[in-house]
């Protein structure tokens, strides 16, 4: 049944919420648990669709999983895996199947991975993953809509990624943990969620060193053992609510927001006029007296401004006085959601040039990857359809700001990545009604 959110706008967010474990960490750690026969335990697990999808994938491979949602505990028993082939039904639901290549090779010497999908934000190829596995000695064949990997045991190698891809770094890190010899992943991603994966793997017995200059060095071990790990908090969830508080001129204490992992975001928020203060267990964001100012910023890999912070930030900038520029350098097609915001009254124009900063790898390729936002613009309620997860959250914030009623469909995208989102908005004084149709 399709679900809709209905919001009467013109409100502000006030109160307190708690952030939970990061979507982009927990799902990878669920995969890593398969490296060791036995029961691994993850805590601080969020209640999101992506955990459920990943749980389905793992169960289809023979894992026995217990998820105690209220406690945020996930027990994954990977003692008796039954197949190295990910069923086709999981292709296209999220980005997880390709990340199983290394752990399934370790357990079976082969892996069958259907072509995958995720949000509709560009082509999202897997060539870096495949090249990396070839360098580690895997044979890969593509047939009948799936990649088939084989390798008795992977061998350590030096792999230089063409771009610091999060998924390719994680995939190769998990594969290298039990390869023979040492692997170096250069030009690698170093996002906090990847460090958190390295910590979990270390708990399982892996030897992983973070070198300078975006290099991970992994000394392979013969086997890993089960472990218990607390998932890092979700810095995207924290930033999304932070921006919502400021844009709506509200006042929200976000427990679990971690300054260490939000340094870049907080700097840009401050430059845009957003006010915040650190408290014992989180950060309080207060927009009641903020004078919002325009900024020119580009997204980038860590420690740059995350591409997943871009969409909520755009909403904030629709309320700032003057012209802002955002240059998206991670994905070529991540402004598709702007048209709907324009329908609600925003003034956002997209350009294929690299605006406001350095040239990026999308220069002259014709992708509309720069946005100019004119503000402040009042927004008005509308009927809107969500195209992807992060855009979806932005639409929610736009709806809270907008005058009148907004009906949002496609909410399964939001629920894939945001823990108990309706409950959290209600807790902050915004009554979202949920309709099934
Ligand atoms: N890329 C390639 N070839 C590859 C891999 C990546 O060309 O083999 C390109 C991509 O097309 C993209 C860039 O490299 O242009 C970066 O992609 P990356 O591999 O880093 O992204 P990902 O691992 O697929 C994760 C998150 C995304 C987040 C990005 C960037 C998960 C499940 N997804 O994707 O999160 O935006 O890293 O930080 O961890 C989201 O949470 O909404 C989301 C999209």
């Amino acid at each position: 049944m399709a679900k809709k959110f209905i919001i009467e706008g013109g409100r502000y967010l006030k109160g307190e919420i708690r952030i939970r474990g990061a979507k982009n960490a927990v799902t990878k750690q669920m995969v890593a648990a398969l490296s060791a026969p036995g029961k691994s335990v993850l805590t601080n697990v969020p209640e999101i669709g992506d955990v459920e999808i990943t749980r389905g994938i793992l169960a289809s491979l023979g894992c026995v999983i217990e998820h105690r949602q209220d406690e945020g505990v996930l027990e994954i028993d990977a003692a008796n895996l039954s197949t190295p082939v990910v069923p086709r039904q999981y292709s296209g639901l999220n980005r997880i199947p390709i990340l199983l290549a290394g752990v399934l090779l370790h357990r079976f010497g082969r892996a069958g991975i259907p072509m995958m999908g995720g949000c509709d934000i560009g082509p999202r190829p897997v060539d870096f993953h495949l090249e990396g596995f070839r360098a580690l000695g895997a044979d890969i064949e593509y047939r009948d809509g799936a990649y088939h990997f084989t390798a008795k045991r992977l061998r350590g190698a030096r792999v230089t990624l063409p771009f610091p891809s999060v998924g390719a770094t994680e995939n190769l890190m998990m594969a290298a943990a039990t390869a023979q010899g040492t692997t170096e992943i250069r030009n690698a991603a170093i996002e906090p969620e990847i460090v958190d994966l390295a910590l979990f793997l270390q708990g399982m017995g892996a030897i992983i060193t973070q070198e300078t200059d975006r290099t991970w060095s992994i000394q392979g071990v013969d086997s890993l053992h089960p472990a218990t790990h607390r998932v890092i908090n979700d810095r995207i969830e924290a930033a999304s609510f932070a921006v919502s508080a400021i844009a709506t001129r509200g006042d929200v204490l976000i427990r679990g927001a971690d300054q260490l992992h939000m340094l870049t975001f907080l700097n840009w928020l401050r430059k845009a006029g957003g006010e915040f203060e650190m408290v014992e267990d989180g950060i309080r964001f207060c927009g009641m007296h903020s004078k919002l100012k325009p900024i020119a910023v580009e997204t980038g890999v860590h420690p740059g401004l995350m591409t997943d912070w871009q969409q909520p930030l755009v909403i904030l900038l629709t309320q700032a006085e003057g012209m802002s520029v955002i240059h998206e350098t991670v994905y070529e097609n991540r402004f598709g959601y702007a048209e709907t915001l324009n329908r609600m009254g925003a003034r956002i124009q997209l350009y294929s040039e690299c605006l406001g900063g350095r040239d990026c790898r999308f220069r002259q390729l014709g992708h509309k990857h720069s946005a100019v936002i004119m503000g402040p613009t009042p927004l008005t309620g509308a009927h809107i359809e969500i195209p992807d997860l992060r855009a979806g959250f932005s639409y929610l914030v736009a709806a809270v700001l907008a005058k009148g009623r907004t009906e949002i469909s496609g909410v399964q995208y939001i629920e894939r990545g945001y823990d108990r989102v309706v409950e959290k908005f209600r807790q902050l004084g915004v009554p979202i009604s949920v309709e099934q149709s």
Side-chain angles (χ1 to χ4, degrees):
M1 255 202 313
K3 235 196 236 178
K4 261 189 199 168
F5 289 168
I6 294 159
I7 298 174
E8 292 295 337
R11 294 172 183 269
Y12 60 90
L13 268 54
K14 185 160 175 49
E16 185 179 320
I17 51 159
R18 178 167 289 281
I19 293 309
R20 280 178 115 187
K23 156 181 147 337
N24 291 345
V26 66
T27 44
K28 324 304 173 58
Q29 292 166 14
M30 291 172 74
V31 170
L34 269 64
S35 306
K39 194 189 278 181
S40 286
V41 180
L42 297 173
T43 64
N44 197 29
V45 172
E47 282 174 50
I48 55 174
D50 252 16
V51 165
E52 288 311 305
I53 295 171
T54 309
R55 176 184 161 163
I57 298 174
L58 266 48
S60 76
L61 299 172
C63 288
V64 179
I65 303 167
E66 191 186 333
H67 188 184
R68 297 197 295 279
Q69 294 209 339
D70 285 348
E71 290 170 58
V73 173
L74 195 60
E75 292 184 354
I76 302 168
D77 187 341
N80 298 306
L81 296 189
S82 50
T83 169
V85 179
V86 178
R88 189 142 314 182
Q89 74 197 80
Y90 292 109
S91 169
L93 295 180
N94 69 6
R95 300 282 294 169
I96 296 306
I98 188 75
L99 298 179
L100 282 150
V103 294
L104 290 174
L105 277 174
H106 171 58
R107 295 291 296 270
F108 290 93
R110 62 193 181 92
I113 309 290
M115 273 302 287
M116 7 112 288
C119 286
D120 184 15
I121 53 176
R124 305 186 77 181
V126 291
D127 49 334
F128 305 165
H129 300 245
L130 302 180
E131 281 315 304
F133 273 88
R134 287 196 180 103
L136 295 179
D139 282 327
I140 307 171
E141 247 187 78
Y142 183 76
R143 53 170 202 278
D144 306 330
Y147 289 105
H148 298 271
F149 295 71
T150 41
K152 254 200 179 126
R153 186 169 180 195
L154 295 170
R155 301 181 302 270
R158 179 177 291 170
V159 179
T160 303
L161 296 177
F163 182 82
S165 152
V166 167
T169 303
E170 293 165 333
N171 209 349
L172 296 172
M173 180 183 278
M174 287 190 272
T178 51
Q180 188 166 29
T182 298
T183 298
E184 246 182 43
I185 314 173
R186 297 186 165 193
N187 198 31
I190 50 168
E191 271 63 7
E193 294 75 19
I194 298 178
V195 176
D196 202 50
L197 175 64
L199 296 181
F200 179 42
L201 288 167
Q202 185 181 53
M204 297 177 82
I207 302 173
I208 300 176
T209 311
Q210 186 172 11
E211 314 277 5
T212 49
D213 299 336
R214 297 196 166 279
T215 299
W216 290 100
S217 171
I218 301 131
Q219 194 182 317
V221 294
D222 290 341
S223 61
L224 297 174
H225 52 76
T228 294
H229 180 77
R230 180 183 163 83
V231 180
I232 189 176
N233 279 355
D234 197 320
R235 63 197 171 116
I236 308 178
E237 187 191 8
S240 302
F241 276 100
V243 163
S244 316
I246 308 262
T248 61
R249 313 285 171 173
D251 185 350
V252 178
L253 170 55
I254 305 186
R255 295 216 179 268
D258 189 343
Q259 185 184 7
L260 177 65
H261 301 133
M262 296 177 73
L263 180 79
T264 307
F265 169 79
L266 293 172
N267 284 338
W268 282 105
L269 189 65
R270 179 160 282 157
K271 288 187 207 183
E275 288 169 48
F276 51 88
E277 63 168 331
M278 308 310 161
V279 298
E280 169 72 18
D281 175 29
I283 309 178
R284 177 177 165 215
F285 296 87
C286 181
M288 287 171 140
H289 309 292
S290 298
K291 182 169 165 17
L292 296 178
K293 295 175 282 194
I295 51 173
V297 62
E298 65 179 30
T299 62
V301 294
H302 190 75
L305 186 85
M306 288 185 91
T307 168
D308 305 287
W309 286 332
Q310 176 252 99
Q311 306 76 357
L313 211 50
V314 163
I315 303 290
L316 182 79
L317 297 175
T318 65
Q319 305 307 304
E321 176 91 44
M323 184 181 85
S324 295
V325 179
I326 299 195
H327 177 203
E328 168 63 57
T329 75
V330 178
Y331 290 109
E332 62 272 58
N333 180 25
R334 224 180 177 183
F335 282 118
Y337 66 94
E339 205 180 304
T340 297
L341 294 178
N342 285 343
R343 247 192 328 115
M344 295 177 78
R347 284 174 61 203
I348 306 170
Q349 279 211 8
L350 304 183
Y351 295 86
S352 49
E353 288 80 11
C354 298
L355 294 185
R358 296 166 291 138
D359 284 347
C360 76
R361 65 204 163 104
F362 306 134
R363 188 178 83 101
Q364 292 187 336
L365 294 181
H367 306 298
K368 296 209 162 165
H369 67 294
S370 293
V372 171
I373 304 133
M374 295 300 297
T377 45
L379 302 176
T380 348
H383 286 244
I384 56 187
E385 171 82 34
I386 291 174
D388 75 70
L389 165 63
R390 305 299 167 195
F393 192 94
S394 297
Y395 287 174
L396 267 187
V397 188
V400 174
L401 270 169
K403 196 161 167 250
R405 176 185 163 100
T406 297
E407 282 191 28
I408 308 181
S409 35
V411 301
Q412 71 280 3
Y413 281 112
I414 305 184
E415 292 180 331
R416 249 189 60 198
Y418 286 91
D419 175 76
R420 291 185 282 181
V421 71
V422 171
E423 201 179 309
K424 285 182 182 171
F425 269 91
R426 285 180 183 157
Q427 212 170 310
L428 296 174
V430 177
I432 298 183
S433 351
V434 180
E435 256 185 24
Q436 308 274 0
S437 59

Short mmCIF file of all heavy atoms in Angstrom, two decimals, residues 220-259:
data_model
loop_
_atom_site.label_atom_id
_atom_site.label_comp_id
_atom_site.label_asym_id
_atom_site.label_seq_id
_atom_site.Cartn_x
_atom_site.Cartn_y
_atom_site.Cartn_z
N GLY A 220 46.27 -8.84 5.66
CA GLY A 220 45.26 -9.90 5.70
C GLY A 220 45.53 -10.92 6.80
O GLY A 220 46.68 -11.21 7.12
N VAL A 221 44.44 -11.45 7.38
CA VAL A 221 44.57 -12.52 8.38
C VAL A 221 43.79 -13.73 7.86
O VAL A 221 42.98 -13.60 6.94
CB VAL A 221 44.02 -12.08 9.77
CG1 VAL A 221 44.85 -10.96 10.36
CG2 VAL A 221 42.55 -11.65 9.67
N ASP A 222 44.06 -14.92 8.42
CA ASP A 222 43.42 -16.12 7.89
C ASP A 222 41.92 -16.16 8.18
O ASP A 222 41.14 -16.64 7.37
CB ASP A 222 44.07 -17.38 8.50
CG ASP A 222 45.49 -17.57 7.95
OD1 ASP A 222 45.78 -16.97 6.89
OD2 ASP A 222 46.28 -18.26 8.61
N SER A 223 41.54 -15.66 9.35
CA SER A 223 40.11 -15.72 9.67
C SER A 223 39.76 -14.60 10.65
O SER A 223 40.64 -14.05 11.32
CB SER A 223 39.77 -17.07 10.30
OG SER A 223 40.52 -17.22 11.49
N LEU A 224 38.48 -14.29 10.70
CA LEU A 224 37.98 -13.28 11.65
C LEU A 224 37.03 -13.99 12.61
O LEU A 224 36.53 -15.08 12.32
CB LEU A 224 37.25 -12.17 10.89
CG LEU A 224 38.12 -11.35 9.92
CD1 LEU A 224 37.24 -10.37 9.13
CD2 LEU A 224 39.22 -10.59 10.64
N HIS A 225 36.78 -13.33 13.74
CA HIS A 225 35.84 -13.92 14.71
C HIS A 225 34.70 -12.93 14.95
O HIS A 225 34.85 -11.73 14.71
CB HIS A 225 36.57 -14.27 16.01
CG HIS A 225 37.36 -13.12 16.58
ND1 HIS A 225 36.77 -12.07 17.23
CD2 HIS A 225 38.70 -12.86 16.54
CE1 HIS A 225 37.71 -11.20 17.58
NE2 HIS A 225 38.89 -11.65 17.17
N PRO A 226 33.56 -13.40 15.45
CA PRO A 226 32.44 -12.49 15.70
C PRO A 226 32.80 -11.43 16.73
O PRO A 226 33.71 -11.63 17.54
CB PRO A 226 31.35 -13.41 16.25
CG PRO A 226 31.74 -14.79 15.88
CD PRO A 226 33.24 -14.81 15.79
N ALA A 227 32.11 -10.31 16.68
CA ALA A 227 32.40 -9.21 17.62
C ALA A 227 31.13 -8.43 17.89
O ALA A 227 30.10 -8.59 17.21
CB ALA A 227 33.47 -8.30 17.03
N THR A 228 31.22 -7.56 18.89
CA THR A 228 30.11 -6.66 19.22
C THR A 228 30.57 -5.25 18.95
O THR A 228 31.72 -4.89 19.23
CB THR A 228 29.75 -6.82 20.72
OG1 THR A 228 29.25 -8.14 20.90
CG2 THR A 228 28.70 -5.82 21.16
N HIS A 229 29.68 -4.42 18.37
CA HIS A 229 30.11 -3.07 17.99
C HIS A 229 28.94 -2.10 18.09
O HIS A 229 27.81 -2.45 17.72
CB HIS A 229 30.63 -3.11 16.54
CG HIS A 229 31.09 -1.79 16.03
ND1 HIS A 229 32.30 -1.23 16.39
CD2 HIS A 229 30.50 -0.90 15.20
CE1 HIS A 229 32.44 -0.06 15.80
NE2 HIS A 229 31.35 0.17 15.07
N ARG A 230 29.23 -0.88 18.58
CA ARG A 230 28.20 0.17 18.61
C ARG A 230 28.35 1.01 17.35
O ARG A 230 29.42 1.57 17.09
CB ARG A 230 28.39 1.04 19.86
CG ARG A 230 27.36 2.14 19.95
CD ARG A 230 27.60 3.05 21.16
NE ARG A 230 26.84 4.29 20.97
CZ ARG A 230 25.56 4.42 21.25
NH1 ARG A 230 24.88 3.41 21.76
NH2 ARG A 230 24.94 5.56 21.02
N VAL A 231 27.28 1.11 16.57
CA VAL A 231 27.32 1.83 15.29
C VAL A 231 27.45 3.34 15.54
O VAL A 231 26.77 3.90 16.42
CB VAL A 231 26.03 1.55 14.48
CG1 VAL A 231 26.05 2.29 13.15
CG2 VAL A 231 25.83 0.05 14.29
N ILE A 232 28.31 3.98 14.79
CA ILE A 232 28.52 5.43 14.87
C ILE A 232 27.19 6.17 14.63
O ILE A 232 26.34 5.70 13.85
CB ILE A 232 29.56 5.84 13.80
CG1 ILE A 232 30.00 7.28 13.95
CG2 ILE A 232 29.04 5.62 12.41
CD1 ILE A 232 31.11 7.65 12.94
N ASN A 233 26.99 7.31 15.27
CA ASN A 233 25.75 8.07 15.08
C ASN A 233 25.66 8.65 13.67
O ASN A 233 26.66 8.84 13.00
CB ASN A 233 25.65 9.19 16.10
CG ASN A 233 25.16 8.68 17.44
OD1 ASN A 233 24.81 7.50 17.57
ND2 ASN A 233 25.14 9.54 18.43
N ASP A 234 24.43 8.93 13.26
CA ASP A 234 24.19 9.36 11.88
C ASP A 234 24.36 10.87 11.74
O ASP A 234 23.50 11.66 12.14
CB ASP A 234 22.77 8.94 11.45
CG ASP A 234 22.62 8.98 9.94
OD1 ASP A 234 23.15 9.92 9.31
OD2 ASP A 234 22.00 8.06 9.38
N ARG A 235 25.46 11.28 11.12
CA ARG A 235 25.74 12.72 11.00
C ARG A 235 24.87 13.34 9.90
O ARG A 235 24.73 14.56 9.82
CB ARG A 235 27.23 12.97 10.77
CG ARG A 235 27.76 12.39 9.50
CD ARG A 235 29.27 12.29 9.47
NE ARG A 235 29.67 11.52 8.30
CZ ARG A 235 30.39 12.00 7.30
NH1 ARG A 235 30.82 13.23 7.34
NH2 ARG A 235 30.69 11.24 6.28
N ILE A 236 24.31 12.50 9.03
CA ILE A 236 23.40 13.07 8.01
C ILE A 236 22.04 13.37 8.66
O ILE A 236 21.45 14.43 8.45
CB ILE A 236 23.22 12.13 6.81
CG1 ILE A 236 24.57 11.70 6.25
CG2 ILE A 236 22.36 12.80 5.74
CD1 ILE A 236 24.48 10.73 5.09
N GLU A 237 21.59 12.44 9.49
CA GLU A 237 20.33 12.68 10.21
C GLU A 237 20.47 13.94 11.08
O GLU A 237 19.58 14.81 11.10
CB GLU A 237 19.97 11.47 11.09
CG GLU A 237 18.60 11.60 11.72
CD GLU A 237 18.31 10.55 12.81
OE1 GLU A 237 19.23 9.79 13.18
OE2 GLU A 237 17.17 10.53 13.29
N ALA A 238 21.61 14.04 11.77
CA ALA A 238 21.82 15.19 12.67
C ALA A 238 21.80 16.50 11.87
O ALA A 238 21.12 17.46 12.26
CB ALA A 238 23.15 15.04 13.40
N ALA A 239 22.52 16.53 10.75
CA ALA A 239 22.57 17.76 9.95
C ALA A 239 21.20 18.08 9.35
O ALA A 239 20.81 19.25 9.25
CB ALA A 239 23.62 17.62 8.84
N SER A 240 20.47 17.06 8.97
CA SER A 240 19.15 17.29 8.37
C SER A 240 18.22 17.97 9.38
O SER A 240 17.51 18.93 9.05
CB SER A 240 18.52 15.96 7.93
OG SER A 240 19.36 15.30 7.00
N PHE A 241 18.23 17.49 10.62
CA PHE A 241 17.37 18.12 11.63
C PHE A 241 17.91 19.49 12.04
O PHE A 241 17.14 20.40 12.35
CB PHE A 241 17.20 17.20 12.85
CG PHE A 241 16.10 16.18 12.64
CD1 PHE A 241 16.40 14.88 12.29
CD2 PHE A 241 14.77 16.55 12.78
CE1 PHE A 241 15.39 13.95 12.07
CE2 PHE A 241 13.74 15.62 12.57
CZ PHE A 241 14.06 14.32 12.22
N ALA A 242 19.24 19.64 12.03
CA ALA A 242 19.84 20.93 12.39
C ALA A 242 19.35 22.01 11.43
O ALA A 242 18.89 23.09 11.84
CB ALA A 242 21.36 20.83 12.32
N VAL A 243 19.42 21.69 10.14
CA VAL A 243 19.00 22.66 9.13
C VAL A 243 17.50 22.93 9.25
O VAL A 243 17.04 24.06 9.11
CB VAL A 243 19.36 22.11 7.73
CG1 VAL A 243 18.60 22.81 6.65
CG2 VAL A 243 20.85 22.22 7.52
N SER A 244 16.74 21.88 9.56
CA SER A 244 15.28 22.07 9.70
C SER A 244 14.99 23.04 10.84
O SER A 244 14.10 23.89 10.74
CB SER A 244 14.59 20.75 10.01
OG SER A 244 15.09 19.74 9.20
N ALA A 245 15.75 22.91 11.93
CA ALA A 245 15.55 23.80 13.08
C ALA A 245 15.83 25.24 12.68
O ALA A 245 15.03 26.16 12.95
CB ALA A 245 16.46 23.39 14.23
N ILE A 246 16.95 25.45 12.00
CA ILE A 246 17.35 26.83 11.67
C ILE A 246 16.44 27.41 10.59
O ILE A 246 15.98 28.55 10.70
CB ILE A 246 18.82 26.86 11.18
CG1 ILE A 246 19.74 26.16 12.18
CG2 ILE A 246 19.25 28.29 10.85
CD1 ILE A 246 20.47 27.00 13.16
N ALA A 247 16.17 26.62 9.54
CA ALA A 247 15.37 27.15 8.43
C ALA A 247 13.97 27.54 8.89
O ALA A 247 13.40 28.52 8.41
CB ALA A 247 15.28 26.12 7.30
N THR A 248 13.41 26.78 9.84
CA THR A 248 12.05 27.10 10.30
C THR A 248 12.05 28.08 11.46
O THR A 248 11.02 28.33 12.07
CB THR A 248 11.30 25.82 10.73
OG1 THR A 248 12.02 25.22 11.84
CG2 THR A 248 11.18 24.80 9.62
N ARG A 249 13.24 28.61 11.80
CA ARG A 249 13.39 29.55 12.93
C ARG A 249 12.98 28.88 14.25
O ARG A 249 12.32 29.48 15.09
CB ARG A 249 12.55 30.82 12.75
CG ARG A 249 12.66 31.44 11.39
CD ARG A 249 13.96 32.14 11.27
NE ARG A 249 14.19 32.56 9.89
CZ ARG A 249 15.18 33.32 9.51
NH1 ARG A 249 16.05 33.76 10.39
NH2 ARG A 249 15.33 33.65 8.26
N GLY A 250 13.36 27.62 14.36
CA GLY A 250 13.02 26.87 15.57
C GLY A 250 14.19 26.75 16.52
O GLY A 250 15.19 27.49 16.42
N ASP A 251 14.08 25.78 17.43
CA ASP A 251 15.09 25.61 18.47
C ASP A 251 15.10 24.13 18.86
O ASP A 251 14.16 23.66 19.50
CB ASP A 251 14.67 26.49 19.67
CG ASP A 251 15.72 26.48 20.76
OD1 ASP A 251 16.67 25.69 20.69
OD2 ASP A 251 15.56 27.29 21.71
N VAL A 252 16.12 23.42 18.42
CA VAL A 252 16.12 21.97 18.62
C VAL A 252 17.43 21.50 19.23
O VAL A 252 18.51 21.83 18.73
CB VAL A 252 15.87 21.22 17.28
CG1 VAL A 252 15.93 19.71 17.49
CG2 VAL A 252 14.54 21.60 16.67
N LEU A 253 17.31 20.71 20.28
CA LEU A 253 18.48 20.08 20.88
C LEU A 253 18.60 18.68 20.25
O LEU A 253 17.69 17.86 20.39
CB LEU A 253 18.29 19.98 22.39
CG LEU A 253 19.31 19.15 23.15
CD1 LEU A 253 20.74 19.61 22.87
CD2 LEU A 253 19.05 19.24 24.65
N ILE A 254 19.71 18.47 19.57
CA ILE A 254 19.90 17.17 18.91
C ILE A 254 20.89 16.35 19.73
O ILE A 254 22.10 16.57 19.66
CB ILE A 254 20.39 17.35 17.45
CG1 ILE A 254 19.42 18.27 16.70
CG2 ILE A 254 20.52 16.00 16.77
CD1 ILE A 254 19.71 18.42 15.23
N ARG A 255 20.35 15.42 20.49
CA ARG A 255 21.21 14.57 21.31
C ARG A 255 21.86 13.53 20.41
O ARG A 255 21.23 12.96 19.53
CB ARG A 255 20.39 13.86 22.39
CG ARG A 255 19.80 14.84 23.37
CD ARG A 255 19.77 14.28 24.79
NE ARG A 255 19.21 15.27 25.70
CZ ARG A 255 19.94 16.13 26.38
NH1 ARG A 255 21.25 16.14 26.29
NH2 ARG A 255 19.36 17.01 27.19
N GLY A 256 23.17 13.35 20.63
CA GLY A 256 23.89 12.38 19.79
C GLY A 256 24.52 13.02 18.57
O GLY A 256 25.25 12.36 17.83
N ALA A 257 24.26 14.32 18.30
CA ALA A 257 24.95 15.00 17.19
C ALA A 257 26.40 15.16 17.62
O ALA A 257 26.67 15.65 18.71
CB ALA A 257 24.32 16.36 16.93
N ASP A 258 27.31 14.73 16.77
CA ASP A 258 28.71 14.66 17.16
C ASP A 258 29.53 15.72 16.41
O ASP A 258 29.72 15.64 15.20
CB ASP A 258 29.23 13.24 16.84
CG ASP A 258 30.61 12.99 17.41
OD1 ASP A 258 31.29 13.98 17.76
OD2 ASP A 258 30.99 11.82 17.50
N GLN A 259 30.01 16.70 17.18
CA GLN A 259 30.75 17.82 16.58
C GLN A 259 31.94 17.34 15.75
O GLN A 259 32.22 17.86 14.68
CB GLN A 259 31.25 18.74 17.71
CG GLN A 259 31.93 20.00 17.22
CD GLN A 259 32.49 20.83 18.37
OE1 GLN A 259 32.48 20.39 19.52
NE2 GLN A 259 32.97 22.01 18.07
#
